[in-house]
Amino acid sequence: MYDTPNTERDVDQKEIKIEARGVQVFYGTTHAIKDVDVDIEDKTVTAFIGPSGCGKSTFLRCLNRMNDTIDICRVEGKIEIDGDDIYDKRVDPVQLRAKVGMVFQKPNPFPKSIYDNIAYGPRIHGLAKTKADLDEIVEKSLRRGAIWDEVKDRLHAPGTGLSGGQQQRLCIARAVATEPEVLLMDEPCSALDPIATAQVEELIDELRENYSVVIVTHSMQQAARVSQKTAFFHLGNLVEFGETGKIFTNPEDSRTESYITGRIG
Amino acid sequence: MPVLWLILIVLVIGAVGFVIGRQKALGSAGGDSRELHSLPTYYGSNVFMKVVVPALLLMVVWLVVQPLMIENTISKMIPDSEIDAGSNLGLVMAEVRRAAEGLDNAVAAGAISEDMARNARADFTDMTTRLKDAGQIVTSEITQPILAAAQQYRISTSRGSLLMTIAVIAVALAGLAWAYMQTHKDFRARNVVEQGVLAILISAASIAILTTIGIVLSLIGNTVAFADLYGVGLLVRELGHEEIARIVAADPELAAKLGQDYSDIEFGMEYYSGWARSWAGLADFFTNLDWAPSFSGRGGASSLGIIPLLWGTLYISVVALVVAVPIGLFAAVYLSEYASNRVRSFAKPMLEVLAGIPTIVYGLFALLTIGPILMSVFGDNTVGWMQGQRAVLTAGIAMGIMLIPFVSSLSDDIINAVPQAMRDGSYGLGATRSETIRQVVLPAALPGIVGAILLAASRAIGETMIVVLGAGAAARLSLNPFEAMTTVTAKIVSQLTGDSDFASPEALVAFALGMTLFLMTLGLNVFALYIVRKYREQYD
């Protein structure tokens, strides 16, 4: 069932967007990520798969320094985006997060109107000079989030009033609104039904044209459907990383094979 | 038999019932608890409940009703002649109760025999001396009818108590028998016990509600009495003495009713209808801009307008909220968003200690610290705005400090309840901490925070001691926060302390003030609930 990968899989070598070397993460005394090296390409969807607690979400949160908000978390090693070390002392995590957008597991729209949800990031970062600019950004983001047609008549209704799938697309549109270069998605479909999942997956495929997308998922079908590259994490180690087609059809490591065939996990 | 013993007996019967009920249920199932409909404990509880609840309920009702009935019978025994001018039935009855108590104590001390205490033909002078010898205080020399009434009172009371004991124990045993008969392995004891628990919980809730209603009703009665008395005083003063004499002269029927010497007030009570008097009183109470009660004599010209007091209340409360809301809110934001766990676990209890300080201590703080500091800044030596230490600002600041933990503790809980996903979403977009708090956390927590603030406002409005010490006693309508003012609560205290005659409008006005205050805080709380609900609909 995994041997139906995307037919037009792009296998050209692309520019490296994120380069991680020797990343170690500790939660207090727990060693959550052990010596992970990974290269994430630009304009590519990279999927992180692995059993629960294997550290894939933790690693994802290292990429925009969201782990900084957790007191007991400590990150070692080097992560470079476009050649700049994001854990350098001179880097402002706030600026970094504008450049590396994030979508969470559960849709988390703010208790504000749909318009204000989207305009939140642009306002904070001063991306719009006039009200017209802001309107344009909001419309463009909602279109990119593939939700414009559904909400264009009720932009000032609360974002929390949308359905789960719409909320998640709203959150994606919100992340896109700050013009990020990388989009991190932490199990974006786990709270959605199959139809909403299909819509979001389609959206992820479209987003690939402009962004480097990293997605954490529990669904191997989803990884096979949307990603070009796949990384398999197990017990804090990056076991295998490579072309999605290869990982799912001809994995090198026996652990990967066991996981994708359902023997461990 | 003392009530405590009776309760213990009922409980013992209940406990015995618990054990035998449980045993019988188990027995009917052949000792196998799996055969029972419910757990064995439920069968025991069912019996216990049916023994204790009706018996104790009967006891409580009896304890309330019995004195009323005895009082009623005894008061018929007292001839009108016993009630002196200036006294009333209530005072005489109090005398009867004291005498009865004296007799009880004297019997217990052995000064007189039980027979003698019961003997209706006992010589009352002899009795008085014996009572006095026994160390029982008898105010004036008790008269024959009072002594007879007291004796009757004792007899009725002890007979009532005996009857009550018998009735309560009988009910308890009846409950025991009934529940024991019911107990069988197929009896649905669990359902019955659950119903019983529900009934107990409902009655606890109703007691709270009924008490509130009782408080309101008692206030309403006295408020109407105030409006009536105050109104009639105003109306007759408006008419003037000569005019009244003319009206009475022109109306023989009225003159006959009033008799020879009548006071203006008596005239007013006859001449005006109850509605007219109450209306006049209330209208003046709510519109008069002057608060000047006169205690000089009956019917003295008092001005009892609530507006200056309300103004003082609101002014001081606003100052208090201006102090408490920003500080409390900032403290809450710091504690919930910035402080590390160690600081939080230390600082939060410290802040809450402030809430435990008695308000009188805040009053002293206002008087001894805040007042002098304000004087040194705004007093005669500098700008000269402030004449004395007692001022709106003094009390307001002290009250604000008192409210800080209130606001901060409630807001802290509410801010903590905002889901972490909201913060993550905001941080993930590159917002800073303060941006996240301002634009995401506080709006999401707003309904709760508004509720907290309104709750604090209710407390500020009801606060008394800080005002008494810090704000002075002068009722004044002024915008100057450096002047002394007073509040509704402080005036309620001053109107009811000391030798107050409950039949004068100057004393009764306290109830009208209390009623107004009650309605105000009620309105505020209803408004707070409305706001909270409205926002909740929008955010969930």
Side-chain angles (χ1 to χ4, degrees), chain A residues 37-243:
Chain A
D37 296 346
V38 77
D39 289 329
I40 290 166
E41 293 167 5
D42 200 11
K43 306 202 193 305
T44 305
V45 178
T46 306
F48 289 176
I49 60 168
S52 295
C54 67
K56 54 195 189 307
S57 290
T58 303
F59 185 70
L60 188 78
R61 290 166 67 95
C62 291
L63 301 182
N64 69 344
R65 291 184 62 174
M66 274 302 273
N67 286 330
D68 290 14
T69 58
I70 300 167
D71 290 338
I72 56 165
C73 186
R74 191 156 51 83
V75 180
E76 287 172 9
K78 199 161 84 174
I79 300 176
E80 288 182 350
I81 294 185
D82 292 334
D84 299 324
D85 184 2
I86 62 170
Y87 279 90
D88 193 282
K89 280 204 174 64
R90 284 164 300 178
V91 170
D92 179 4
V94 166
Q95 294 240 293
L96 172 72
R97 289 180 200 140
K99 207 164 127 183
V100 184
M102 188 158 188
V103 176
F104 296 85
Q105 186 170 358
K106 254 181 75 186
N108 58 348
F110 300 134
K112 297 169 180 287
S113 71
I114 293 170
Y115 185 95
D116 288 335
N117 260 286
I118 304 293
Y120 184 80
R123 277 188 185 136
I124 284 176
H125 300 293
L127 300 182
K129 238 189 264 168
T130 61
K131 176 84 171 71
D133 276 357
L134 195 61
D135 288 348
E136 201 189 308
I137 291 175
V138 169
E139 182 177 340
K140 201 173 78 187
S141 308
L142 285 171
R143 280 190 194 282
R144 279 204 188 148
I147 194 182
W148 170 253
D149 290 331
E150 288 158 70
V151 299
K152 65 183 175 199
D153 299 323
R154 44 172 176 154
L155 287 177
H156 295 284
T160 43
L162 297 172
S163 74
Q166 288 175 326
Q167 286 191 7
Q168 193 62 302
R169 278 180 285 148
L170 179 71
C171 292
I172 294 173
R174 186 175 71 186
V176 166
T178 50
E179 299 285 340
E181 295 165 22
V182 180
L183 209 52
L184 308 178
M185 297 188 170
D186 190 356
E187 299 178 40
C189 301
S190 66
L192 305 183
D193 70 12
I195 295 169
T197 302
Q199 287 168 332
V200 171
E201 283 179 5
E202 202 175 315
L203 174 59
I204 291 171
D205 204 46
E206 284 166 25
L207 292 172
R208 179 161 66 98
E209 297 191 358
N210 299 299
Y211 310 99
S212 167
V213 178
V214 184
I215 176 171
V216 163
T217 177
H218 270 297
S219 156
M220 284 172 278
Q221 291 94 325
Q222 186 172 55
R225 281 193 300 264
V226 300
S227 70
Q228 285 77 50
K229 290 274 193 146
T230 298
F232 172 61
F233 284 80
H234 188 239
L235 301 175
N237 296 302
L238 176 64
V239 175
E240 196 167 344
F241 178 56
E243 298 294 333

Side-chain angles (χ1 to χ4, degrees), chain B residues 315-384:
Chain B
Y315 203 172
I316 293 173
S317 301
V318 165
V319 172
L321 289 180
V322 165
V323 172
V325 169
I327 297 179
L329 210 52
F330 289 173
V333 166
Y334 170 72
L335 282 179
S336 60
E337 299 288 317
Y338 288 88
S340 68
N341 269 340
R342 260 190 40 220
V343 175
R344 196 178 136 79
S345 65
F346 164 78
K348 201 174 177 201
M350 283 304 284
L351 204 59
E352 276 162 5
V353 163
L354 274 180
I357 298 175
T359 57
I360 186 86
V361 177
Y362 282 105
L364 294 176
F365 179 64
L367 204 58
L368 295 177
T369 313
I370 300 174
I373 290 175
L374 287 176
M375 273 303 270
S376 67
V377 178
F378 301 106
D380 283 334
N381 296 332
T382 56
V383 284

Side-chain angles (χ1 to χ4, degrees), chain B residues 99-119 122-136 138 142 147 151 154:
Chain B
E101 205 175 307
L103 283 172
D104 278 343
N105 293 337
V107 171
I112 49 177
S113 68
E114 179 64 36
D115 282 342
M116 204 170 169
R118 282 172 177 264
N119 185 1
D123 177 30
F124 68 93
T125 40
D126 175 43
M127 194 64 96
T128 314
T129 30
R130 277 168 184 269
L131 280 176
K132 278 183 177 155
D133 291 344
Q136 296 304 320
V138 178
I142 47 176
L147 180 63
Q151 286 174 327
R154 280 193 72 225

Side-chain angles (χ1 to χ4, degrees), chain B residues 424-472:
Chain B
D424 283 348
S426 176
Y427 292 139
L429 288 170
T432 62
R433 261 183 178 175
S434 74
E435 280 166 346
T436 303
I437 291 160
R438 261 201 331 271
Q439 302 194 28
V440 175
V441 176
L442 286 185
L446 190 68
I449 291 172
V450 170
I453 291 171
L454 288 179
L455 223 58
S458 281
R459 262 205 82 175
I461 288 174
E463 177 47 44
T464 313
M465 285 327 295
I466 294 176
V467 181
V468 170
L469 291 182

